[in-house]
Amino acid sequence: MSSQGLRWYSYPVLDSTNEEAKRLLSQGFGHGTVVEALEQTKGKGRKGRTWFSKKGEGLYFTLIVEPQETGEMAAGLTLVMAIAVCRALEEIIPFDRIQIKWPNDLIINRKKVCGILAELILEGSQIQGAILGVGINLLQETFEEELKTKATSLYLETGQVPDVAAFKEALEHYWMEYYEKYRENKTLEFLREEYQKRLVNLGQTVRVLDPQGEYEGIARGITKEGYLIVDTEGQIQHVSSGEVSVRGVYGYV
Ligand code: BTN
């Protein structure tokens, strides 16, 4: 099943492509289904934030991932998607290396151009699947006040209208390649080096916004499970993305 390609279902407007993906999953749509909307009225970001999703300004889509792979591999799926999106974007814009702010914000020139929202879908204790929602800033020329210093778009960075069809084709290729490797390996060891090369905070001081107590340390990379390795004066912490956010000490990255 996993060698099949992606099947895109496009809608003019949805509340949220993640919500529609959940509805489709419950109706039996399976692995490789992608839900896309030109506009979202209730776009969701991580940590309960809103993902502003004006018509045609961004690319908003959600991929359904098959249930049998999602238990132990769930946390790593977003990192796999992050790398696949980086590679696909690099095919359509003149940037050699898009960076990543752990776990899965994609960064160009120290500003966020893409976010990924993963959700695990359970029925009782049974895993029905995972969904990976991706929002890419395509054409925005300005952003809401709270995002102005943090966000950018492909148009602002390149001065060009991005070729979305070419991006989707490339994404399918890279997603299949990296996802297959992840299925075979069951850990992220195979993409650790590539991920770390892209890690915007590598070797820098980060602030870990842990609800149990904030702390600072040096980001050293990721583990094969996808945890961020933070060195707090010789003590190594493995930070899990479900629990915390990470900030640069001088701002967003
Ligand atoms: C983040 O906070 O960085 C994650 C943002 C994820 C946004 C995308 S847009 C498509 C999908 N549908 C949603 O409602 N959210 C995700």
Side-chain angles (χ1 to χ4, degrees):
M1 190 207 289
S2 53
S3 59
Q4 285 175 0
L6 305 181
R7 295 171 307 284
W8 290 77
Y9 295 85
S10 295
Y11 299 69
V13 58
L14 284 172
D15 49 355
S16 150
T17 55
N18 273 32
E19 294 308 315
E20 181 64 13
K22 284 183 211 169
R23 292 188 285 265
L24 292 183
L25 188 61
S26 72
Q27 291 164 28
F29 285 74
H31 186 74
T33 302
V34 188
V35 183
E36 178 193 8
L38 293 181
E39 178 183 0
Q40 298 184 115
T41 53
K42 286 190 189 151
K44 302 190 301 179
R46 291 180 71 226
K47 316 267 172 213
R49 297 189 196 105
T50 298
W51 187 261
F52 298 104
S53 308
K54 284 196 204 137
K55 185 172 174 184
E57 285 202 337
L59 183 60
Y60 319 112
F61 66 90
T62 300
L63 169 68
I64 296 178
V65 183
E66 62 194 327
Q68 63 266 41
E69 308 301 340
T70 48
E72 55 183 297
M73 288 167 59
L77 284 171
T78 53
L79 281 76
V80 173
M81 179 57 95
I83 293 282
V85 174
C86 282
R87 295 289 304 269
L89 286 177
E90 286 159 0
E91 301 255 317
I92 63 156
I93 58 170
F95 281 89
D96 292 344
R97 187 175 292 157
I98 294 175
Q99 291 184 295
I100 301 176
K101 177 176 168 291
W102 179 89
N104 45 34
D105 288 357
L106 270 47
I107 306 292
I108 297 179
N109 290 330
R110 303 190 75 76
K111 290 186 171 177
K112 177 165 170 172
V113 74
C114 167
I116 302 175
L117 176 64
E119 298 184 69
L120 199 57
I121 312 303
L122 300 167
E123 209 173 271
S125 58
Q126 188 82 22
I127 297 169
Q128 301 296 302
I131 58 173
L132 300 176
V134 180
I136 302 175
N137 299 333
L138 297 175
L139 296 175
Q140 289 91 337
E141 292 187 57
T142 58
F143 285 91
E144 288 70 16
E145 201 51 43
E146 66 265 39
L147 298 178
K148 277 200 169 122
T149 56
K150 299 181 197 161
T152 190
S153 70
L154 297 181
Y155 181 73
L156 282 174
E157 295 303 322
T158 64
Q160 290 165 11
V161 175
D163 184 344
V164 173
F167 166 78
K168 287 180 180 172
E169 202 175 308
L171 179 70
E172 171 152 348
H173 169 81
Y174 287 115
W175 165 257
M176 306 274 283
E177 177 183 327
Y178 284 94
Y179 177 72
E180 276 306 319
K181 283 194 190 141
Y182 190 33
R183 281 186 75 213
E184 281 163 23
N185 290 278
K186 302 279 186 253
T187 80
L188 297 171
E189 192 58 49
F190 72 94
L191 58 62
R192 226 153 70 98
E193 198 181 322
E194 175 169 4
Y195 188 96
Q196 290 178 169
K197 276 191 198 149
R198 295 177 184 275
L199 197 57
V200 72
N201 294 122
L202 190 69
Q204 294 177 17
T205 304
V206 292
R207 184 161 188 80
V208 179
L209 309 181
D210 187 331
Q212 314 220 308
E214 297 184 10
Y215 58 92
E216 286 183 6
I218 315 265
R220 296 287 186 212
I222 58 163
T223 68
K224 63 182 178 6
E225 295 81 22
Y227 296 124
L228 184 69
I229 302 168
V230 177
D231 183 343
T232 53
E233 292 171 354
Q235 268 210 325
I236 299 296
Q237 316 280 345
H238 288 176
V239 181
S240 143
S241 63
E243 298 153 23
V244 300
S245 293
V246 169
R247 294 272 173 281
V249 279
Y250 300 114
Y252 167 61
V253 291

